[in-house]
Amino acid sequence: MRIARFVAGGGISWGVVEGPTEAGANPPFESLTVAAIKDHPMGPIEFTGDRFALTDVRLLAPILPSKVIAVGRNYAAHAAELGNDVPERPLIFLKPSTSVIGTQDVVRLPPDSDQVEHEAELALVIGRVAKDVPRERALDVVFGYTCANDVTARDQQRADVQFTRAKGYDSFCPIGPWIETSFDPSAVRVRCLVNDRTTQDGNTRDMIFDVPTIVSFMSHVMTLVPGDVILTGTPEGVGRIVDGDTVTVAIDGIGELVNPVRAKG
Ligand code: MN
């Protein structure tokens, strides 16, 4: 089930995206509709009866997390391209909730960075309160999966001891276009396109720490609550984005997250 959050007729609703489903493929946007639901999608789904063409609504970030936790250097080829060793345990950091935007929202380039880069990542959304979850039960606390872009001011990341400034700007965490609740994260293609040029083309089977390991590890550090978003790391091929670009994160079986990039000002 694909869960979207959207604006239609002046109000914000949750809804279920409906249309053709084909394993591994992302159906064209024009073929999809969204059926509004009454309450929060983590409870029982009850439809209002309102249905909209997806082209007639504005999609929002599919969830508003209390926190976004990310994993760094989770693909060996990406660690190598930045000159880093592969970590012995998951290297985790936080992105502020205020960095979250949805599909088609603008990524704003801060004037004090000369090297803002894209990082296409599989993201997951937590569905249950989770503390000290064993790896074997970790997938039980996942509500669903979405696409994410861990936008990073690489020059600031290199200059600072930690990542908060480089990864914390408003708009530096696009997620969407919706949450897919029926999804196997173990071997899926994760791509990034800048304009129409493919810059990243990886597969989650190459993660150093897989999704259950990441969720379990994080839950031993901090309590995970429903709506929390976890970014699982980026494959190789990260690169600069500049004013005027359009950056797309595409994950087979989920969809495409598309964001224009503009200079701040
Ligand atoms: Mn990242």
Side-chain angles (χ1 to χ4, degrees):
M1 199 163 55
R2 291 168 286 196
I3 301 290
R5 199 170 138 261
F6 64 97
V7 180
I12 295 177
S13 311
W14 300 90
V16 176
V17 176
E18 299 174 333
T21 48
E22 204 177 308
N26 295 330
F29 220 73
E30 298 72 28
S31 65
L32 300 174
T33 57
V34 58
I37 62 175
K38 282 183 178 164
D39 292 310
H40 196 279
M42 291 183 191
I45 298 283
E46 198 179 336
F47 291 96
T48 65
D50 292 329
R51 184 174 268 98
F52 307 91
L54 212 55
T55 47
D56 290 341
V57 305
R58 181 180 162 227
L59 290 177
L60 303 172
I63 196 83
L64 294 177
S66 71
K67 57 183 175 289
V68 178
I69 322 165
V71 187
R73 303 171 196 166
N74 200 26
Y75 292 78
H78 169 65
E81 76 179 342
L82 294 184
N84 294 311
D85 291 331
V86 169
E88 289 176 27
R89 65 190 72 81
L91 170 66
I92 67 173
F93 57 92
L94 291 167
K95 288 171 82 81
S97 58
T98 42
S99 65
V100 171
I101 58 173
T103 194
Q104 299 296 344
D105 288 340
V106 173
V107 173
R108 292 280 173 198
L109 302 173
D112 48 351
S113 170
D114 295 322
Q115 193 186 356
V116 174
E117 297 191 348
H118 62 75
E119 295 188 0
E121 310 200 2
L122 173 68
L124 58 93
V125 179
I126 294 296
R128 291 163 50 184
V129 174
K131 178 68 182 163
D132 297 339
V133 182
R135 187 186 173 285
E136 301 70 44
R137 292 211 303 272
L139 291 184
D140 296 348
V141 306
V142 177
F143 175 67
Y145 297 83
T146 190
C147 309
N149 192 342
D150 177 19
V151 180
T152 304
R154 194 73 65 201
D155 48 353
Q156 297 182 4
Q157 186 187 26
R158 290 189 197 284
D160 293 357
V161 173
Q162 45 75 46
F163 297 173
T164 304
R165 180 171 68 128
K167 290 174 177 282
Y169 286 94
D170 289 0
S171 80
F172 269 29
C173 191
I175 58 172
W178 42 69
I179 300 165
E180 174 56 77
T181 58
S182 307
F183 187 77
D184 177 355
S186 60
V188 288
R189 195 176 178 198
V190 177
R191 286 177 296 147
C192 188
L193 294 87
V194 177
N195 305 321
D196 289 323
R197 184 173 58 91
T198 300
T199 54
Q200 295 183 275
D201 191 353
N203 193 294
T204 58
R205 77 168 90 86
D206 296 322
M207 285 180 178
I208 296 164
F209 303 106
D210 64 8
V211 168
T213 302
I214 291 168
V215 172
S216 174
F217 182 88
M218 289 176 175
S219 81
H220 283 78
V221 178
M222 61 190 90
T223 302
L224 307 177
V225 300
D228 282 353
V229 169
I230 292 175
L231 273 51
T232 59
T234 198
E236 68 179 312
V238 299
R240 192 167 175 230
I241 47 177
V242 299
D243 182 46
D245 281 344
T246 298
V247 60
T248 301
V249 175
I251 300 182
D252 290 353
I254 300 178
E256 295 186 353
L257 167 69
V258 181
N259 296 97
V261 179
R262 298 288 179 268
K264 202 169 179 175

